[in-house]
Every structure is written in C-alpha cells, then in structure tokens.
Amino acid sequence: MKFLQKYGTTLIILILLAAALWLRIGSYGDLRLSIANAETDSYISSSRASVFSWGIFAGQRLFTTNLLYKFANDSQNCPITSYGKPGIGQEDVREVQPCFDKIALLQNLLAVFGWSFLAWTTTRRLNNPAAKIAAAVVITVFGFTPQIAEWDSVLSPESLSLSMFAITLGMGLELAFHVAGSEQPFRSRGVQILFAGWIILFLLWVFVRDVHLYAIPVTLALLAPLFLLKKFRDTRHLAIGFGVLAMFLVVGYLSARDSFRATRYPVINALDAYIWPHPARVEYFRRFGMPERDAVNYQEWADHNATKAYGMFLVSHPGFVVTTLWGNLGQLSDDFSQPYFFTPEVKNRELMLTIGQLVHPETTTVYLLALLLAGALTVHAVQRRTPALSAWAWMAAWFFGIAAVTLLLSFFGDTAGTRRHIMPSAEMFRLFLWVFLMPFLDLSLAKTNSLEA
C-alpha cells in the first residue's frame, strides 16, 4: 500500500505512456513507409557533399538534413517510387522505398521517443497527480494523432523540426530546473553532461531549417542576463555554452550567405509577391541598388543584397507586417495535416483526426493565449522568485521567442508553399499552449487542495 501511495501516479503515467506508444506504433502502418514531395530531390543532391567540406553547411540544404539524406543519395540504388504532388492533384500512397526506408524509420523513432520524452519530463516538473496525468495524456495525444504523426512519413524536414524540438524542450526543462534550484548550477557532472547534450541537440535542430538559425539569437538574448547573477558568473560552463552558440550563429550566417539558399528562390518569390506590384516599395529597394526585374544583373544583385534589403524593409515597415498577417490569419489557423498521401491502411483515421483537433485547435486565439501564458508565468516568477517558477518562465520565454521568430520568418521568407513552411512554427504555438498551461493547472489544484484541507 505504501508503495502504491508513493509511486502510484508514476505507475499510472508509465502505463499511459506505454499504451500511447503501442497505439502510435500500431496505428500508422509500417514505420518504414515514406513518400517524397517536391523538395525531396534537393535534399538528396545536397547530401552528396563531403562531411568534411564546407559544402555540408553551405549547400542547398543544411547540415543535419544533409547527414540524414546520405542514407539515400545514390540515384541508381535509391529510386523514388512514391511521390506526392497535392498541388496538381496527384497524391499517392506510401511505400517502403529502398534507402528512404531508413530515413522514414529514423523519423518515426525520433518522433515516438521525442513526444514520449517530452511528456515524461513535463510530468516530472509538476506536483499534483491530476496535473501530471493530464500532461502525459495531452502531450502524447498532441504528438501521436495524425496532425503530427503522419508527417513522420514525409521526406521533408517537418518531422525532424517538431520531434527534435520536442526532445530539446524536454532536455531544456530538465536543465532549467536543475540550474534554477542550485547555488552551484554546473558543479554536478550530470548537469554538465546534460548541458553539453542540450547544446548539441539544439544545434542539430538549428541546422534542420534555415529559419531555425534565428533561435540562436533568441537563446543568447535570454542567456545574457544570467551573467548578472553571481552563481552563473562563478562558472565557466555557461560562458563556454554561450560562446559555442555564438560561434555557430556565425557559421550559420556564413553558410547561408555562401549557399544563396534564401536568394535563389525564397526571397525572390517574396519580392515578386510583396514588392514589385507596389511602386512605393520598389522605390525603397532602389536605395539598395535593386535593378529592374528583367535586368541581366538582377539575380546577382539578389544573391548579395536582397536578403539584407528585404530584412530592413520588414523591420522598418511594421505596418506592412501587421496588415499582411491580419489579412492572412486563415493560414495561421489552418489544418496542417499532411496533404501528400492517402491512408487506406490506417484504421479509425477520422476518429483520430477528430481527437487530434481537440489539442490542435484551428484558431488564431492560440497565439493570444500563448502570449498571455508567457506573460503570466513571467509575472508570477518575478513576484514569487521561486526556482520552479523561474525555470518555467525562462523556458516559456525561450519557447515563445523561438516560435514567434520562426513563424514570422517562415511566413514572410517565401510565398511559395507557405502552408508547409509555417506548419512547424504554428504547431509549436499549439504545443506551447498545452505545455505551459500545466504549471497553472498544477498551482490551481494545489490551491484547491489547501482550501479543502
């Protein structure tokens, strides 16, 4: 009886996680099933760069996906046999494709582990049994329903973007609580290893998509104030981590500049949609030497100047940013289910989609609630100054900042395929809602218990 009183909640959570894993693994067919889309070929060709060359960073695609697609960059032995083209109404069924089966399997395993790990680490930082169970259920339902799970079969970076972030967030929660509750935060060897592992995983996630690079400045901006606290000034580990992140920010910037990834298509598409139809905006870009669109040197100018000019335009024209977002709110609250393949082998898919809609609300209210949650946690942390609330507030600010900057850059960075590009960031906001609602539920239930007592 004493055992059940002490470990009963943990046993319930483990049973729930085991059931969720069983359902996830058994519900979507063979974990090796995959389907290509319009960008898969570019990931294959980019992955042919040598691991020891600058091209592994400065290619058409980024370091992490270049490593992954080395499993399938032999065009003769790794043919694409399943190709989804929803833009022209040619969806397909998934297949176990030679070489690509390894990529799909890895994406699925990372997702299964990532969402389970995040559910477990979140429950560990809650006190009330009901809040712990709610967190375990909500997070696994979020990651294991079709709105997310079916992307794990698509040969593009969306799956990695979400599952690797889930693991990074889970490790970040563990690290934040250890650090916040200790006067000598990095003295323990275990915490040092956790910090190093978090940085490595975070950087691997950064080099999945171009917009992830801007998560580093957000992280640095939130780490910098910690140096004002004595317990962080007395340790070199935070300074080393700060320096490593700053170094890879430079690597990311230089690799993007040298690869012309942004200017060959994305920024050009954005200029075509947002700038060229408006003479006043064109005149603004003339300050940066922009030639006529049909000029022979237009692409050369774009390669070296378009990103800077477009960035300055966005910063100096907040009205354009706000009105454009306001006019496209429907895209930000879309159903982001994958459009590439049919699922005749998936039983009860409609039921699972309906359940998924409960935790993937298709409304822009999500963004307002996320902002309110982040602000409320910050206020509580400042007022109470407890280690737990400080950890929750820091992680909320970090998560919200990354979700916001990647969403904005994904939306304005390329007008082609906007729905797919913004999908990971929009789903991050939905995830934010559930993860950071849990500490408030925990506090509320604690107050209820004290009142009943």
Side-chain angles (χ1 to χ4, degrees):
M1 183 61 71
K2 289 183 178 179
F3 177 84
L4 289 177
Q5 288 178 342
K6 186 175 182 180
Y7 297 107
T9 303
T10 302
L11 286 174
I12 292 172
I13 291 170
L14 289 175
I15 291 170
L16 288 171
L17 291 178
L21 283 169
W22 179 75
L23 289 170
R24 167 63 178 83
I25 292 172
S27 296
Y28 296 96
D30 195 321
L31 299 182
R32 299 172 299 162
L33 290 167
S34 67
I35 190 165
N37 67 9
E39 292 191 350
T40 304
D41 286 329
S42 67
Y43 287 95
I44 296 169
S45 60
S46 182
S47 70
R48 295 192 177 106
S50 169
V51 174
F52 303 103
S53 70
W54 178 235
I56 200 72
F57 282 98
Q60 187 178 0
R61 298 300 178 183
L62 281 76
F63 175 78
T64 303
T65 50
N66 284 340
L67 288 183
L68 179 62
Y69 278 82
K70 283 189 175 296
F71 282 124
N73 63 15
D74 184 333
S75 57
Q76 291 186 341
N77 296 321
C78 307
I80 294 176
T81 58
S82 176
Y83 207 126
K85 303 175 183 179
I88 56 175
Q90 293 184 6
E91 298 85 353
D92 205 344
V93 293
R94 297 171 297 168
E95 294 182 9
V96 178
Q97 305 183 73
C99 307
F100 297 103
D101 57 347
K102 299 181 181 66
I103 296 174
L105 179 61
L106 180 58
Q107 288 187 167
N108 275 279
L109 292 178
L110 274 175
V112 168
F113 172 76
W115 296 111
S116 302
F117 178 72
L118 178 59
W120 175 252
T121 53
T122 304
T123 63
R124 278 172 44 81
R125 298 307 162 189
L126 302 170
N127 297 309
N128 186 274
K132 287 174 174 282
I133 293 170
V137 171
V138 169
I139 293 173
T140 50
V141 169
F142 185 95
F144 291 167
T145 42
Q147 284 86 344
I148 298 293
E150 289 185 352
W151 283 94
D152 300 327
S153 296
V154 181
L155 297 171
S156 61
E158 288 75 25
S159 173
L160 291 179
S161 182
L162 287 167
S163 59
M164 290 180 68
F165 185 79
I167 303 171
T168 305
L169 176 60
M171 291 180 68
L173 284 170
E174 287 291 303
L175 183 62
F177 273 82
H178 279 298
V179 168
S182 174
E183 287 301 317
Q184 295 179 309
F186 293 101
R187 187 174 184 178
S188 164
R189 178 66 65 180
V191 175
Q192 293 172 12
I193 294 173
L194 179 62
F195 186 45
W198 181 82
I199 288 177
I200 292 170
L201 184 62
F202 176 60
L203 288 173
L204 286 172
W205 174 82
V206 163
F207 288 102
V208 169
R209 299 175 65 222
D210 280 298
V211 293
H212 292 180
L213 181 65
Y214 296 90
I216 296 183
V218 172
T219 306
L220 294 177
L222 289 170
L223 287 177
L226 299 182
F227 290 105
L228 300 176
L229 303 176
K230 185 176 184 301
K231 70 177 185 178
F232 292 109
R233 289 199 305 268
D234 293 340
T235 175
R236 69 180 186 278
H237 296 90
L238 187 64
I240 292 173
F242 192 95
V244 169
L245 292 176
M247 179 182 72
F248 276 96
L249 176 62
V250 174
V251 170
Y253 168 77
L254 293 176
S255 68
R257 183 198 65 183
D258 291 352
S259 68
F260 303 123
R261 286 189 295 261
T263 55
R264 288 294 160 88
Y265 295 106
V267 174
I268 291 293
N269 292 338
L271 296 185
D272 288 344
Y274 296 132
I275 305 304
W276 282 109
H278 306 277
R281 297 174 189 174
V282 171
E283 285 305 310
Y284 177 87
F285 274 75
R286 297 296 190 203
R287 304 178 193 176
F288 298 89
M290 184 175 73
E292 293 298 326
R293 188 163 29 174
D294 57 356
V296 294
N297 63 331
Y298 178 62
Q299 185 62 59
E300 181 183 1
W301 172 87
D303 287 341
H304 296 93
N305 300 285
T307 301
K308 176 184 176 182
Y310 187 48
M312 292 296 295
F313 173 78
L314 293 177
V315 171
S316 60
H317 292 76
F320 161 77
V321 173
V322 172
T323 55
T324 304
L325 287 173
W326 185 262
N328 292 275
L329 286 179
Q331 293 188 57
L332 301 180
S333 57
D334 204 350
D335 166 23
F336 292 104
S337 300
Q338 65 78 24
Y340 299 103
F341 59 88
F342 301 113
T343 55
E345 74 281 8
V346 178
K347 297 179 181 179
N348 303 314
R349 182 175 184 265
E350 291 303 317
L351 174 61
M352 290 192 292
L353 280 169
T354 301
I355 295 172
Q357 287 173 356
L358 297 174
V359 292
H360 296 270
E362 297 169 19
T363 171
T364 51
T365 305
V366 167
Y367 302 100
L368 176 60
L369 291 177
L371 178 62
L372 292 175
L373 281 175
L377 275 171
T378 302
V379 171
H380 276 290
V382 171
Q383 289 177 341
R384 300 190 183 188
R385 297 174 183 264
T386 65
L389 279 173
S390 297
W392 278 116
W394 195 95
M395 290 301 300
W398 177 78
F399 191 157
F400 186 91
I402 289 174
V405 72
T406 56
L407 178 65
L408 288 172
L409 291 172
S410 296
F411 182 87
F412 287 102
D414 191 354
T415 56
T418 302
R419 178 181 177 275
R420 181 172 60 82
H421 291 152
I422 67 173
M423 173 266 179
S425 299
E427 289 292 356
M428 284 170 68
F429 270 103
R430 294 170 181 177
L431 175 64
F432 181 99
L433 192 65
W434 300 115
V435 172
F436 294 98
L437 183 64
M438 292 304 150
F440 287 101
L441 177 61
D442 199 34
L443 287 171
S444 176
L445 291 172
K447 290 179 180 179
T448 300
N449 292 337
S450 66
L451 288 174
E452 291 175 351

